[in-house]
């Protein structure tokens, strides 16, 4: 079992810098318009020739209500009919992509995100899943990891029953905070009872895994009231928890301008929230996986980390990183072999492109040999808190110390500070450095500089 986290406030203050979350390397900041539909079709052909397994992500952008903290690509509307035209275009994209893949390519993982996927009516969800099954080889034996994001205000027992019938076996439930004052400040009124009802339905219907999302650093939060939310969540016994740091960037995300910055907790209070949350979850038996994620010891993520098979992609930590990831819908990102590509993020442009019978790919990149090498290094560190030099040397035919000679002084400094251990064979992230693993990864990022760091959130 991996060592527990050690809380070191001095180390956190020194290394709490702005930087990527490394759901990919290179990150989406490096995407350019030089990559387009031709590159996607070429990558799909290679995927088909290799009969590689697939992971599908489907973006449903609609929400009935706006949450002021949200930085997702979304459309706020009370008009449920707005989804009709979008679904027509999404189904067209499914057909266009599906015809370039082999019917034998198995879909090991499926995730519906948003927005609020359950904004769709039951008939629309049935129709969408029928289209996916027609053009992709979805599993029929419940062995795939098929998940969907749930807003408990948009779901009831009948919805949960439908989702189970359609093949979903994992749910991710947005909570953020149960405190009424916090909920009013971010315009997300959601009772504990509503959330408990959805979780009870998921358990009764034998969903395999339940994840709950929390956010610390929201307006009106204090270490004391957030600790109460965490305790209430622990009593709900989710299999996984995501505890995100709220990044207040009103200049980039318009809804955040409705948040009164004077109501935000200060940095010391945010640190206290994080420390208290780690202590509460650890005492309740949850393992820190990394990057805001916690899981029970028998969860697939925890087991994969123990067995050194855990991976990371645009969907976060995953046990399906070996799959080609196909992103469907507005702003969705695909990772197919060495290609990253993203659909247009503007809803109208996405739909109009597909009306013309063309795929909506708008930007991306093709990884270089150096990108692949650094991606492997960052993947090892962020998933397993350890980097064995010989594994990288054998995979990429390099001498690690020579290739990364420029990084060595920084690694030595981090070792002196107690963030990592480093010798001639490996780098090991110490318990005091696990919360700051992004800072270690940043040392291997060839694209990162002081100027573009400001586009990212802080590590803590």
């Amino acid at each position: 079992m991996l060592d527990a986290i050690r809380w070191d406030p001095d180390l956190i203050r020194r290394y709490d810098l702005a930087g990527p979350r490394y759901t990919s390397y290179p990150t989406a900041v490096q995407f350019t318009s030089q990559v387009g539909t031709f590159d996607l079709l070429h990558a799909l052909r290679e995927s088909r020739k290799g009969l590689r397994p697939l992971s599908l992500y489907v973006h449903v952008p609609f929400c009935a209500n706006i949450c002021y903290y949200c930085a997702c690509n979304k459309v706020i509307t009370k008009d449920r009919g707005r989804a009709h035209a979008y679904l027509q275009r999404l189904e067209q994209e499914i057909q266009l992509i599906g015809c370039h893949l082999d019917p034998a390519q198995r879909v090991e993982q499926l995730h519906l995100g948003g927005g609020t996927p359950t904004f769709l009516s039951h008939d629309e969800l049935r129709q969408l899943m029928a289209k996916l099954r027609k053009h992709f080889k979805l599993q029929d034996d419940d062995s795939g990891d098929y998940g969907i994001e749930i807003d408990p205000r948009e779901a009831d027992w009948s919805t949960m029953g439908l989702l189970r019938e359609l093949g979903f076996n994992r749910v991710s439930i947005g909570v953020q905070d149960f405190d009424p004052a916090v909920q009013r400040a971010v315009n997300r009124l959601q009772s504990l009872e509503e959330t408990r009802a959805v979780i009870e339905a998921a358990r009764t219907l034998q969903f395999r895994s339940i994840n709950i999302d929390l956010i610390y650093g929201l307006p009106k939060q204090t270490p004391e009231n957030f600790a109460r939310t965490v305790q209430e969540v622990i009593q709900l016994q989710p299999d996984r928890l995501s505890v995100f740091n709220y990044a207040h960037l009103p200049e980039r995300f318009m809804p955040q301008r409705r948040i009164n910055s004077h109501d935000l907790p200060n940095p010391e209070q945010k640190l206290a929230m994080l420390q208290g949350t780690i202590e509460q979850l650890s005492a309740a038996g949850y393992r820190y996986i990394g990057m805001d994620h916690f899981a029970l010891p028998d969860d697939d993520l925890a087991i994969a980390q123990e067995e050194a098979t855990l991976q990371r992609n645009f969907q976060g930590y995953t046990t399906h990183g070996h799959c080609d990831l196909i992103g469907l819908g507005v702003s969705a990102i695909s990772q197919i072999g060495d290609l990253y590509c993203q659909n247009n993020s503007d809803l109208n442009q996405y739909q109009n492109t597909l009306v013309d019978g063309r795929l909506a790919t708008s930007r991306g990149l093709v990884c270089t040999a150096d990108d692949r090498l650094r991606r492997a290094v960052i993947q090892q560190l962020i998933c397993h808190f350890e980097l064995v030099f010989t594994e990288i040397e054998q995979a990429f035919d390099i001498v690690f110390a020579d290739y990364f000679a420029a990084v060595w002084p920084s690694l030595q400094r981090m070792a002196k500070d107690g963030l990592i251990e480093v010798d001639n064979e490996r780098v090991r992230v110490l318990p005091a450095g696990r919360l700051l693993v992004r800072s270690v990864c940043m040392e291997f990022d060839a694209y990162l500089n002081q100027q573009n760091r400001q586009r990212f959130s802080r590590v803590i």
Side-chain angles (χ1 to χ4, degrees):
M1 178 176 174
L2 290 169
D3 298 331
I5 301 169
R6 185 167 71 80
W7 186 264
D8 188 326
D10 291 334
L11 205 57
I12 288 170
R13 291 188 186 97
R14 205 175 315 158
Y15 285 97
D16 182 19
L17 308 171
R21 298 183 62 80
Y22 293 115
T23 49
S24 73
Y25 181 86
T27 68
V29 170
Q30 306 305 322
F31 290 5
T32 74
S33 59
Q34 301 301 309
V35 168
T37 302
F38 175 82
D39 302 279
L40 173 58
L41 294 177
H42 177 75
L44 291 171
R45 183 171 70 247
E46 292 302 309
S47 181
R48 181 179 72 243
K49 286 166 60 178
L51 286 178
R52 298 201 291 260
L54 303 176
S55 172
L56 303 183
Y57 172 77
V58 183
H59 191 75
V60 180
F62 303 101
C63 292
N65 301 287
I66 189 166
C67 301
Y68 297 160
Y69 56 79
C70 185
C72 298
N73 186 296
K74 60 198 173 295
V75 175
I76 308 301
T77 179
K78 299 288 189 183
D79 180 8
R80 303 283 167 161
R82 286 284 302 276
H84 180 68
Y86 179 75
L87 286 174
Q88 285 185 312
R89 303 287 79 81
L90 177 60
E91 291 173 5
Q92 192 174 355
E93 182 184 17
I94 290 168
Q95 181 176 349
L96 287 170
I97 293 287
C99 72
H100 289 283
L101 293 166
D102 193 294
Q105 288 181 260
R106 187 176 66 257
V107 176
E108 293 187 4
Q109 185 179 42
L110 167 68
H111 188 78
L112 263 64
T116 307
T118 46
F119 179 94
L120 303 179
S121 70
H122 288 196
D123 285 344
E124 287 170 335
L125 284 167
R126 288 183 188 278
Q127 180 182 331
L128 175 58
M129 288 301 294
K131 195 73 172 181
L132 286 168
R133 289 190 180 278
K134 180 178 179 181
H135 293 281
F136 294 97
K137 187 180 181 180
L138 269 61
Q139 315 277 62
D140 291 320
D141 57 3
D142 209 33
S143 62
D145 283 342
Y146 293 176
I148 184 169
E149 295 171 13
I150 296 288
D151 181 341
R153 302 169 301 173
E154 293 276 344
D156 55 19
W157 270 81
S158 64
T159 303
M160 299 302 290
L162 171 72
L163 296 176
R164 194 70 183 96
E165 174 193 326
L166 293 177
F168 292 99
N169 50 32
R170 295 181 179 273
V171 289
S172 183
I173 299 171
V175 169
Q176 322 320 340
D177 197 303
F178 280 128
D179 187 275
V182 177
Q183 291 185 350
R184 283 192 294 271
V186 298
N187 197 45
R188 187 187 175 98
L189 297 175
Q190 175 182 325
S191 69
L192 174 60
E193 289 69 31
E194 285 176 307
T195 306
R196 185 185 290 119
V198 167
I199 290 174
E200 287 177 354
R203 291 226 165 85
T204 302
L205 295 165
Q206 297 183 314
F207 280 78
R208 194 157 65 224
S209 176
I210 297 169
N211 175 82
I212 285 180
D213 290 340
L214 298 177
I215 299 178
Y216 68 96
L218 293 174
K220 303 290 187 181
Q221 279 181 338
T222 66
E224 293 74 23
N225 65 26
F226 192 64
R228 288 194 291 273
T229 286
V230 173
Q231 189 54 45
E232 287 167 335
V233 167
I234 287 171
Q235 291 172 0
L236 296 173
Q237 294 186 303
D239 302 277
R240 300 176 184 175
L241 275 154
S242 302
V243 187
F244 297 109
N245 167 27
Y246 171 63
H248 189 58
L249 300 168
E251 67 281 2
R252 288 182 58 192
F253 305 112
M254 192 174 295
Q256 295 186 0
R257 297 173 193 173
R258 304 192 193 187
I259 288 177
N260 186 343
S261 59
H262 297 294
D263 290 337
L264 295 172
N266 62 40
E268 289 73 22
Q269 290 174 310
K270 287 182 73 173
L271 278 180
M273 287 181 215
L274 178 59
Q275 181 179 8
T277 299
I278 290 168
E279 290 171 353
Q280 285 177 275
L281 293 178
S282 298
Y286 286 89
R287 288 268 307 279
Y288 179 67
I289 301 299
M291 293 294 299
D292 318 311
H293 284 67
F294 299 81
L296 291 172
D298 60 351
D299 183 85
D300 289 349
L301 292 185
I303 293 169
Q305 193 170 58
E306 287 280 0
E307 296 176 349
T309 58
L310 186 66
Q311 294 168 292
R312 191 165 171 82
N313 63 17
F314 287 104
Q315 292 178 277
Y317 286 105
T318 179
T319 57
H320 297 278
H322 59 284
C323 296
D324 281 336
L325 172 61
I326 309 291
L328 301 162
V330 62
S331 77
I333 298 177
S334 298
Q335 179 179 343
I336 308 168
D338 289 329
L339 173 75
Y340 299 137
C341 64
Q342 183 173 24
N343 282 345
N344 202 300
S345 296
D346 180 272
L347 182 66
N348 289 329
Q349 291 183 31
Y350 166 82
Q351 293 182 165
N352 290 339
T353 303
L354 282 156
V355 164
D356 294 337
R358 295 179 290 122
L359 290 169
T361 308
S362 65
R363 64 188 197 124
L365 67 82
V366 179
C367 292
T368 65
D370 180 71
D371 292 336
R372 291 193 295 271
L373 194 165
R374 292 174 185 270
R375 178 172 65 186
V377 167
I378 289 170
Q379 183 99 185
Q380 288 296 310
L381 288 167
I382 211 164
C383 290
H384 308 299
F385 301 115
E386 186 175 53
L387 172 64
V388 179
F389 300 154
T390 54
E391 294 178 2
I392 299 297
E393 291 174 333
Q394 291 169 5
F396 295 94
D397 193 25
I398 62 161
V399 177
F400 191 93
D402 293 343
Y403 198 95
F404 291 106
V407 177
W408 209 253
S410 296
L411 295 180
Q412 295 290 352
R413 186 189 74 249
M414 289 180 165
K416 185 178 179 181
D417 288 342
L419 194 74
I420 61 174
E421 279 182 354
V422 60
D423 55 32
N424 293 329
E425 296 181 354
R426 72 190 67 221
V427 172
R428 188 170 75 88
V429 182
L430 296 173
R434 295 219 163 114
L435 291 170
L436 301 160
V437 67
R438 281 163 72 184
S439 295
V440 184
C441 293
M442 281 188 260
E443 296 298 329
F444 295 94
D445 189 332
Y447 298 95
L448 200 61
N449 57 47
Q450 201 59 43
Q451 184 177 5
N452 66 23
R453 277 190 181 192
Q454 302 316 308
R455 303 188 63 168
F456 301 104
S457 64
R458 296 177 75 87
V459 170
I460 299 293

